[in-house]
Amino acid sequence: MKYKKLWALAVLLVLGAGGSWFLWYSGFFQAAVSPEGVRDYIAASAPFSHLFYFLVQFLAVVFAPIPSNLVAAAGGVLFGTWTAFALTFTAVTVGSLLTFQLARVLGRDFVDRLVSRQVSRRYQELLRAKAPVFLVLAFLFPFFPDDMLCILAGLTGLSLRQFALIVLLARPWGLLFACALGGASLELPLWTLLPLGLIGLTLFVLGLRYGDKIERAIVRRLEARRGSSQKVDKQV
């Protein structure tokens, strides 16, 4: 077990250091100060721009500093809907499985370095009790920290095969919507972009205003079901 932990930690450090150095050396961080800079960077880096985007999305999942849907929307703007979705979903799937397995091997110390105590306290017990149901709902709704939940799921009794199935079935839809929203700016005329922009802005504002309430309602409902199941088990 000790050697497995050292190996997993070494892989994580190499990926993080190598990826960060590569992005810095290639000028990504200097270009990322504006949308125009990112566009110029992508154009100048062709034909490797797809690989660069994949790396950015992968690192965003592993280290969870940027929501995957936000990066997916940017990918839609840069590459179009379907190309961005293929790159995004592949990177997110690989990153999700990697963080899940790293949490499984390295344990609580690794998780505490990437996930705040507040997030851990909010979701850990619920994940242990109802991981499959809760993860499906969390991946389908835009109010949950998807990448951090993948890390926390590694501390549960969920198997890697079960987790992979949940990711493959539930995680694509939010990413596809984000890629389509970004890709619309390349494929649709201005008169259709305006209502889409208003709808997107409305959903964003509603998410900011009511997202926490919806999240708490889902969590309370699942916790209530967990309590009912425990009572039935005690009676039996």
Side-chain angles (χ1 to χ4, degrees):
M1 182 62 70
K2 180 180 179 181
Y3 292 107
K4 287 184 178 180
K5 288 187 176 182
L6 290 176
W7 178 85
L9 185 59
V11 170
L12 181 64
L13 291 175
V14 169
L15 286 173
S20 299
W21 177 84
F22 181 76
L23 291 175
W24 174 82
Y25 183 79
S26 65
F28 174 79
F29 292 123
Q30 295 86 336
V33 296
S34 67
E36 292 78 12
V38 175
R39 284 178 178 271
D40 293 340
Y41 172 84
I42 294 295
S45 61
F48 303 105
S49 54
H50 295 75
L51 177 61
F52 293 162
Y53 172 79
F54 178 92
L55 182 61
V56 170
Q57 182 65 277
F58 173 77
L59 291 175
V61 175
V62 174
F63 295 101
I66 307 172
S68 299
N69 288 337
L70 184 61
V71 182
V77 173
L78 296 170
F79 301 112
T81 299
W82 294 110
T83 300
F85 174 69
L87 293 169
T88 298
F89 186 50
T90 304
V92 167
T93 300
V94 174
S96 298
L97 296 179
L98 176 63
T99 54
F100 176 89
Q101 193 62 20
L102 285 172
R104 174 66 49 85
V105 174
L106 297 177
R108 170 60 66 180
D109 291 339
F110 166 75
V111 173
D112 287 342
R113 294 179 183 274
L114 297 179
V115 182
S116 67
R117 285 288 184 180
Q118 180 180 1
V119 173
S120 294
R121 285 195 299 267
R122 182 181 299 178
Y123 300 115
Q124 191 64 67
E125 290 301 320
L126 191 55
L127 276 170
R128 286 174 179 167
K130 290 185 172 291
V133 175
F134 179 61
L135 283 175
V136 168
L137 291 175
F139 290 155
L140 291 177
F141 288 95
F143 313 116
F144 294 90
D146 296 356
D147 299 326
M148 293 184 182
L149 290 177
C150 292
I151 300 173
L152 290 173
L155 299 179
T156 69
L158 201 66
S159 70
L160 179 61
R161 180 179 297 181
Q162 290 174 314
F163 178 74
L165 184 63
I166 292 171
V167 170
L168 291 173
L169 294 179
R171 203 142 195 216
W173 311 112
L175 299 174
L176 178 59
F177 176 78
C179 291
L181 191 62
S185 64
L186 296 179
E187 301 168 0
L188 297 177
L190 181 61
W191 65 270
T192 58
L193 287 178
L194 290 177
L196 283 176
L198 290 175
I199 293 173
L201 180 61
T202 302
L203 292 175
F204 178 75
V205 172
L206 290 175
L208 289 178
R209 187 177 181 87
Y210 301 108
D212 289 342
K213 294 181 179 179
I214 296 174
E215 176 187 342
R216 287 195 295 268
I218 293 174
V219 170
R220 284 198 301 267
R221 185 67 178 268
L222 290 174
E223 287 177 341
R225 289 187 178 181
R226 177 167 66 107
S228 300
S229 300
Q230 291 176 345
K231 289 181 180 178
V232 171
D233 292 339
K234 289 181 179 178
Q235 291 175 356
V236 174

